[in-house]
Structures are given as C-alpha cells and as structure tokens.
C-alpha cells in the first residue's frame, strides 16, 4: 500500500508530466486560455491515462517483452518483439480513445457533453504515449503500480493545466510588453512554475 | 514508375520562388515552434546539450521529410475518416526505423534521449504538417515543406541548447569553451550557472527567443 502511495505522490509532484518532462505541452498551451476548458481537458487526460497505461502494461508484459510470449509455449520463450512497442502502443492508445469515446457517449451522456470535444484531441497528446513509454522504461512490478502511475501522471497534468489557465485568465489584465503577450509570457510563467515545482525534487520516496 | 515521371515533369520548376519560400518561411515567420506552437514537448526536454539536440533534429528531419512524401503519395488513396490512424502508422514505422538506427550506432545518445525518440510519433509538428500540407500537395512540395519545418524546429532546438550548454556547463558539443583558469576553483572569477541545466530554464529560454522574434516582426504579436 505504501508503495502505491509513493508512486502516486511521485508521479503527481516530483515527476510532473509538464514541469519535469514537458509532455503534452502542445495542448497545454493551446487549451489553457480558460479554466473551464482546462478542467475538461485535464479530466479527459486523467481518464485516458488511467485506462491506457494498464492496458499497455499488459501488452508489454504478455506480448512485447523478451520472453513475454512464453505463455504460448516453450518455443516462443526467446521471442523479443520490443522493437514493435511504439507502433503497438500508439495503436492501443488510438483505439482505446475511440472506444472510451463510444462507451462514454452511450453510458454517461453528461460526461460526454463535458469531455466530448477533448477526447479525440487526446490520441495525439504526448503525455499519453509518454506515460506508456515511461511505464515501459521504469519496469513497474504489478499492474496496480502501473495504474496508479497512470492516474498520478494524469492528476499532475490536470493540476498543471488548471493552474496555468487560472494564471492566464488573470494575466490578461496586466501590462505585458507587447511582444511577450500570449505565448511568450505563458512560456515564462510555466518556467517559473516549474522552478517552484522543483522544490519537490529533494523528496526521496 | 509513376512517381519518377511526376518528378521529371516538375523539374523545370524545382526551385522556383514559391518552392524556395516553402523552405525559408518556416525558418522565421511561420516557425513551427515559436509561431505555430507545434512540437514543444520534445523541443524542451533534450536541449541540455548540443549533441543530443542535433541528433534529435536530424531524426525529426528524416521522419518529417520522408513522412511528408509518403503521405503525399498516398493522399488520394487515404479515406478521410481513418486518416489519423494511417498517419500514425506511417510515423510510427518511420520512428521505429530511426530508433533502431540510433540504438545501433549512437547508443549513448539514444539512452540519453530515452522516451523522446518514441515521442516523435506524437510530435505535433509531424501530424500538423501531414494534416495541413502533405494531404493536399504534391510529393516534391511536401518534401520541401517537411525540410523547411524540420529546419525551423532544428534551429530553435540548437539555439536553446547552445545557450543552455554554454552558460550551464561552459561547453559546446562537450568541448570546454570557457577557459579553465577563469573558474573559481582555479582562483578565477567565473562559475557555471547550474540553473541553466534544469528543465524550467528551457521554457524561459524559448520565451525569450519568442520575445526577440516578436519585437523584430511586430505582425506576430498576439491580441491579449
């Protein structure tokens, strides 16, 4: 249990997707003009990361890894398909996003109304594929750990986009040098927030 | 055979003024990073040193150039509804190629770039150019557009990496630039700015590049 809490805290604060790895910056910059849309996209990212990371974990451990196919029979014990992981992960992500979209539309129309327009955007959000690739690199032991890592990264991303959206709503009323308006100041503010988040780096979990 | 003929037919206008513009525009006025805001994700994480930034730029150059040509050749065959999946498959196969080559020839750098090679797949520049250009233009033009945008991406990456490596560790491409005698430890006055090596400074460096670019070309200034 403690292990899971550690992974969660670590992926939300210490290894925050935006501030430590810059993943998902494109949509972070494009969709952060208003808090409400920021919340919508953030929630969709949590949702999709929480689903795709464990699915990709199963794929990695039962299909792609060296020796992962040994459950099929001893003659497959030495097959190493890891060079296929990029194409498999992206296919899983694209189809899971499609599936999630259909399921949500059918069973939770209210949620679909809130997330609907953001879901297709998410298939090409770097943070989703990044989540899968970090999961592969860090070799989590159980599917529980992988799920918690996915959810934690999503929560970290949510936190970041809601914070920057709130700042951008306020910053509109300030006198910023004209060439810095919009994109420039957003970059610099994100950098400063990143410096603040680095305070968590000293924490060893 | 068909593609060979097509290239021949266009040869008389291979580097016409319009085609040259396809390369030169993304370098400045429609730069993929600072103006179109595409492909930021990978641009920032690997700019601590010049060498990995150069390798990353070359990888993107290859994927974008070849990918644009492939998509452009298939543009009349791809059904509109499944084009995203087709694009993803094309990019993913090209990125696997790049990844395997990097692992075979420059293993250290490929370890350093870790997940960011894989993330070229979701690099918005690639999908953005496929959608906006390659789906509606001939292969040669798409190739030029791919090159232009990759160069635009590369120069921002290299500029950021130049400042971060020079100020952060006093080196360029791993060679010492700041004389050793200047350092505090040798009785000098200088010490490296360790802050430049940390991730947030990449964002601030790009912010400053945007600032400089927009004060030179005031047409790019945003409303609020």
């Amino acid at each position: 249990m403690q292990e899971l809490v550690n992974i969660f805290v670590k992926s939300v604060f210490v290894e925050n997707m935006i501030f430590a790895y810059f993943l998902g910056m494109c949509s972070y910059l494009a969709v952060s003009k208003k808090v409400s849309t920021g919340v919508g996209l953030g929630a969709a990212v949590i949702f999709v990361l929480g689903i795709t990371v464990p699915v990709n974990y199963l794929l990695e451990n039962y299909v792609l890894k060296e020796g992962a196919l040994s459950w099929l029979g001893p003659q497959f014990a030495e097959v190493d398909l890891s060079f296929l992981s990029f194409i498999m992960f992206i296919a899983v992500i694209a189809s899971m996003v499609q599936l999630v979209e259909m399921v949500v539309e059918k069973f939770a129309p209210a949620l679909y109304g809130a997330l609907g327009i953001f879901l297709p955007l998410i298939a090409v959000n770097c943070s989703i594929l990044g989540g899968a690739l970090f999961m592969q690199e860090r070799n989590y032991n159980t599917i529980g750990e992988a799920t918690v890592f996915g959810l934690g990264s999503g929560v970290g991303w949510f936190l970041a986009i809601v914070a920057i959206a709130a700042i951008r709503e306020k910053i509109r009323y300030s006198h910023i040098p004209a060439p810095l308006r919009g994109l420039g100041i957003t970059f610099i503010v994100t950098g400063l927030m990143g410096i603040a988040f680095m305070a968590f780096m000293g924490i060893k979990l | 055979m068909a593609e060979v003929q097509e290239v021949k037919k266009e040869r008389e206008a291979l580097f016409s003024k319009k085609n040259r513009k396809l390369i030169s525009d993304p370098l400045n006025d429609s730069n993929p990073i600072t103006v179109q805001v595409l492909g930021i994700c990978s641009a920032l994480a690997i700019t601590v040193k010049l060498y990995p930034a150069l390798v990353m730029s070359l990888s993107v150059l290859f994927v974008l150039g070849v990918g644009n040509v492939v998509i452009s050749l298939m543009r009349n065959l791809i059904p509109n509804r499944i084009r995203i999946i087709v694009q993803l498959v094309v990019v993913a196969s090209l990125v696997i190629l790049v990844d395997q080559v990097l692992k075979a020839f420059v293993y250290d750098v490929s370890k350093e770039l870790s997940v960011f090679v894989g993330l070229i797949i979701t690099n918005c520049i690639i999908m953005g150019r496929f959608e906006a250009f390659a789906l509606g233009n001939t292969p040669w033009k798409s190739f030029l557009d791919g090159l232009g945008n990759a160069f635009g991406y590369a120069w921002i990456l290299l500029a950021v990496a130049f400042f971060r490596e020079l100020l952060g560790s006093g080196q360029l491409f791993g060679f010492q630039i700041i004389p050793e005698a200047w350092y505090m430890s040798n009785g000098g006055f200088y010490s490296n700015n360790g802050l430049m090596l940390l991730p947030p400074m990449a964002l601030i460096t790009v912010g400053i590049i945007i600032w400089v670019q927009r004060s030179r070309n005031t047409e790019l200034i945003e409303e609020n």
Side-chain angles (χ1 to χ4, degrees):
Chain A
M1 191 58 210
Q2 203 201 343
E3 183 66 13
L4 293 184
V5 175
N6 280 351
I7 291 179
F8 186 78
V9 173
K10 204 172 166 189
S11 53
V12 174
F13 295 107
V14 185
E15 289 167 347
N16 188 291
M17 280 281 185
I18 295 268
F19 297 127
Y21 297 108
F22 313 109
L23 297 183
M25 282 299 272
C26 308
S27 24
Y28 168 85
L29 291 169
V31 194
S32 61
K33 283 199 174 123
K34 273 163 65 188
V35 173
S36 53
T37 50
V39 170
L41 186 67
V45 166
I46 299 181
F47 201 61
V48 174
L49 264 175
I51 292 173
T52 54
V53 172
V55 171
N56 278 328
Y57 177 85
L58 292 178
L59 194 69
E60 160 82 5
N61 280 286
Y62 292 101
V63 181
L64 295 174
K65 230 190 201 168
E66 190 175 357
L69 278 173
S70 53
W71 56 271
L72 270 179
Q75 70 271 36
F76 292 103
E78 295 200 334
V79 179
D80 181 4
L81 291 177
S82 53
F83 66 94
L84 283 178
S85 49
F86 292 157
I87 208 163
M88 294 295 274
F89 285 170
I90 198 70
V92 164
I93 288 167
S95 43
M96 283 313 290
V97 168
Q98 195 80 53
L99 202 69
V100 165
E101 197 183 345
M102 289 191 297
V103 170
V104 170
E105 189 178 10
K106 177 89 179 141
F107 294 106
L111 186 64
Y112 182 77
L115 300 186
I117 43 167
F118 299 117
L119 280 172
L121 269 179
I122 283 183
V124 284
N125 186 326
C126 323
S127 62
I128 311 290
L129 184 64
L133 293 175
F134 276 128
M135 177 275 297
Q136 186 188 33
E137 203 180 73
R138 291 179 193 157
N139 277 327
Y140 288 109
N141 294 321
T142 62
I143 187 167
E145 285 182 16
T147 316
V148 168
F149 164 72
L151 287 173
S153 310
V155 172
W157 204 90
F158 176 88
L159 214 64
I161 195 169
V162 173
I164 193 74
I167 293 178
R168 283 181 83 172
E169 276 192 4
K170 292 282 173 213
I171 224 170
R172 203 169 299 153
Y173 305 109
S174 348
H175 284 288
I176 306 162
L180 261 182
R181 271 181 215 154
L183 197 57
I185 196 71
T186 313
F187 267 102
I188 292 179
V189 167
T190 311
L192 295 176
M193 285 162 75
I195 293 179
F197 260 71
M198 289 189 59
F200 294 110
M201 267 192 186
I203 303 173
K204 280 274 172 290
L205 287 172
Chain B
M1 268 327 270
E3 51 184 296
V4 176
Q5 281 163 356
E6 198 160 0
V7 172
K8 262 191 192 141
K9 209 167 55 192
E10 286 184 7
R11 183 140 291 170
E12 69 270 11
L14 216 49
F15 283 105
S16 63
K17 205 170 174 198
K18 234 164 114 194
N19 284 352
R20 259 178 293 150
K21 229 171 139 48
L22 287 176
I23 288 202
S24 63
D25 255 6
L27 292 184
N28 203 357
D29 288 350
S30 64
N31 188 285
I33 292 188
T34 58
V35 181
Q36 303 175 44
V37 209
L38 297 173
I40 316 274
C41 318
S42 52
L44 301 171
I46 40 113
T47 48
V48 177
K49 291 200 184 112
L50 267 171
Y51 190 52
L54 184 69
V55 173
M56 185 72 181
S57 311
L58 290 177
S59 315
V60 170
L61 182 74
F62 171 77
V63 174
L64 193 51
V66 178
N68 250 358
V69 171
V70 172
I71 292 289
S72 167
L73 285 173
M74 297 198 300
R75 68 186 187 279
N76 298 325
L77 303 174
I78 305 175
N80 203 29
R81 289 186 62 99
I82 58 158
R83 65 182 196 285
I84 302 273
I85 302 273
V86 175
Q87 290 165 4
L88 281 175
V89 171
V90 170
V91 195
S93 339
L94 288 170
V95 170
I96 290 178
L97 261 179
V98 169
D99 186 48
Q100 298 291 321
V101 169
L102 289 186
K103 273 192 184 136
F105 292 105
V106 279
Y107 188 73
D108 299 343
V109 182
S110 115
K111 266 275 157 279
E112 211 168 319
L113 294 176
S114 74
V115 300
F116 291 98
V117 178
L119 286 173
I120 298 179
I121 299 174
T122 47
N123 190 323
C124 334
I125 292 187
I126 312 241
M127 299 294 280
R129 290 330 290 173
F130 284 2
E131 281 281 298
F133 201 90
L135 276 177
N137 286 286
T138 53
W140 172 245
K141 276 190 177 154
S142 309
F143 180 64
L144 291 181
D145 180 74
L147 284 193
N149 278 283
F151 284 137
Y153 173 84
W155 89 256
I156 297 282
L157 223 66
L158 293 175
V160 175
F162 175 82
F163 286 116
R164 285 182 79 190
E165 191 174 1
L166 184 63
L167 300 177
S169 45
Q171 300 174 330
L172 287 179
F173 284 109
F175 297 110
Q176 194 67 35
I177 295 293
I178 311 284
E180 293 282 354
W182 287 13
Y183 281 101
M184 298 263 204
S185 52
N186 298 335
F189 56 90
Y190 186 83
S191 77
N192 286 326
N193 183 355
L195 192 62
M196 290 303 286
L197 298 177
L198 301 174
M201 287 313 287
L203 286 163
I204 294 180
T205 314
V206 176
I208 292 171
I209 291 178
I210 292 176
W211 189 359
V212 172
Q213 191 183 25
R214 293 193 179 178
S215 33
R216 286 182 56 205
N217 184 353
T218 43
E219 277 171 25
L220 298 174
I221 291 177
E222 285 174 55
E223 268 307 303
N224 73 67

